């Protein structure tokens, strides 16, 4: 059965300030979405709520199969949210990559071989034995992607995966995201600007003034035509 994300009447407030009210959003398995919006509009908050990491004030997020009506401690096993500022554990790169798989308790030989594949996939083999905290910003992003890839998520939230990266690093991240999409992973990527990662997305959502609008491709084409 295909994975489906449904959001209905989602409201988030901080104190008396209503951050957003999202009437509805539906995402089907295999789709790629760009969530754009100015700094502070609530992109991170929205993604964390959809990933089950934060609680809405009211409304409903469901991910089927494994229906989850409300936020709970039981996070969906096939949904991963990658933080805007990827954090690393105080250990070697290779151990950082292995961490999630070890929690799932598999055969040690299988884990080691999967970790090697993940390191190669993210072009981190040469850094495997280095302390993860010494990685550059671009390398950290690739480490975060490797940690996600190894767990084979069906739905992946990427929060500003290209912030502070140079053009070369952005295209490396774009290549990894392209491969995840080819594998059928559903991806939502937040970014306040367009780049080679967001260009991979077929749906574009704009969070603005507390509401979410879908930008129709036709409007984008018209916009380009005017320039
Ligand atoms: N726990 C909190 N308590 C109070 N206000 C909060 C809390 N978390 C977030 N906010 C506020 O909610 C707003 C949205 O924050 P959020 O991080 O979701 O925005 P964003 O769109 O991801 O911004 P950016 O593009 O800078 O990453 C901000 O004004 C932030 O200060
Ligand atoms: Mg953010």
């Amino acid at each position: 059965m295909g994975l489906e994300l449904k959001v209905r009447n989602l409201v988030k407030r901080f104190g008396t300030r209503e951050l957003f009210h999202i009437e509805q959003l539906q995402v089907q398995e295999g789709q790629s979405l760009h969530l754009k919006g100015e700094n502070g509009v609530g992109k991170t908050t929205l993604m964390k709520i959809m990933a089950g990491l934060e609680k809405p004030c009211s409304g409903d997020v469901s991910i089927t199969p494994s229906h989850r009506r409300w936020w709970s401690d039981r996070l969906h096993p096939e949904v991963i949210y990658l933080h805007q500022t990827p954090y690393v554990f105080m250990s070697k790169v290779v151990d950082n990559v292995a961490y999630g798989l070890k929690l799932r308790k598999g055969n040690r030989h299988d884990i080691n071989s999967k970790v090697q594949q993940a390191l190669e996939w993210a072009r981190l083999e040469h850094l495997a034995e280095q302390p993860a905290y010494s990685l550059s910003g671009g390398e950290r992003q690739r480490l975060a992607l490797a940690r996600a890839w190894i767990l084979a998520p069906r739905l992946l939230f990427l929060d500003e995966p290209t912030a502070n990266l140079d053009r070369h690093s952005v295209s490396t991240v774009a290549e990894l995201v392209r491969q995840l999409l080819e594998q059928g992973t559903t991806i939502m990527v937040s970014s306040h600007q367009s780049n080679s990662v967001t260009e991979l997305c077929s749906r574009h959502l704009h969070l603005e003034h507390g509401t979410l609008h879908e930008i129709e491709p036709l409007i984008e084409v018209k916009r380009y035509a005017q320039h």
Side-chain angles (χ1 to χ4, degrees), residues 60-183:
D60 186 45
V61 175
S62 69
I63 296 174
T64 48
S66 283
H67 187 73
R68 190 187 72 229
R69 186 168 281 281
W70 276 95
W71 178 88
S72 78
D73 291 334
R74 264 188 60 240
L75 301 175
H76 196 294
E78 294 170 309
V79 176
I80 291 182
Y81 164 84
L82 291 193
H83 285 262
Q84 186 160 356
T85 319
Y87 59 80
V88 295
F89 306 115
M90 294 294 279
S91 57
K92 291 189 286 189
V93 168
V94 61
D95 297 327
N96 267 259
V97 173
Y99 181 78
L101 265 195
K102 283 188 177 158
L103 287 182
R104 287 189 178 177
K105 295 195 177 69
N107 165 300
R108 197 196 294 177
H109 178 263
D110 291 348
I111 292 179
N112 289 344
S113 108
K114 200 83 189 150
V115 168
Q116 280 313 313
Q117 284 175 41
L119 288 167
E120 281 166 34
W121 178 78
R123 300 173 207 172
L124 290 168
E125 312 102 290
H126 62 297
L127 300 170
E129 298 300 318
Q130 196 167 309
Y133 64 79
S134 66
L135 296 184
S136 73
E139 290 161 351
R140 272 180 192 231
Q141 285 295 353
R142 297 203 319 270
L143 173 58
L145 284 165
R147 281 202 306 230
W149 181 85
I150 207 166
L151 298 174
R154 282 171 82 181
L155 172 57
L156 180 59
F157 292 100
L158 299 175
D159 199 353
E160 300 274 359
T162 52
N164 307 318
L165 298 191
D166 64 24
R167 199 185 296 176
H168 176 71
S169 298
V170 171
S171 49
T172 309
V173 169
E175 176 54 23
L176 297 178
V177 171
R178 193 185 59 74
Q179 289 177 25
L180 281 160
L181 287 170
E182 270 178 17
Q183 289 164 22

Side-chain angles (χ1 to χ4, degrees), residues 4-10 20-28 31-35 43 46-47 49-51 60-64 155 157 186-189 203-207 211-215:
E4 187 177 39
L5 167 78
K6 275 189 189 167
V7 170
R8 275 179 238 96
N9 276 323
L10 206 63
F20 52 68
H21 179 170
I22 291 161
E23 285 181 9
Q24 64 104 22
L25 173 67
Q26 234 164 299
V27 179
Q28 311 292 338
Q31 291 188 335
S32 49
L33 300 98
H34 170 201
L35 174 62
K43 302 181 297 300
L46 175 59
M47 285 181 132
I49 291 173
M50 290 192 289
D60 186 45
V61 175
S62 69
I63 296 174
T64 48
L155 172 57
F157 292 100
T186 310
I187 292 183
M188 184 182 289
V189 49
R203 292 180 65 188
H204 298 266
L205 307 171
H206 193 186
L207 185 55
T211 53
L212 194 65
H213 310 275
E214 180 135 12
I215 304 163

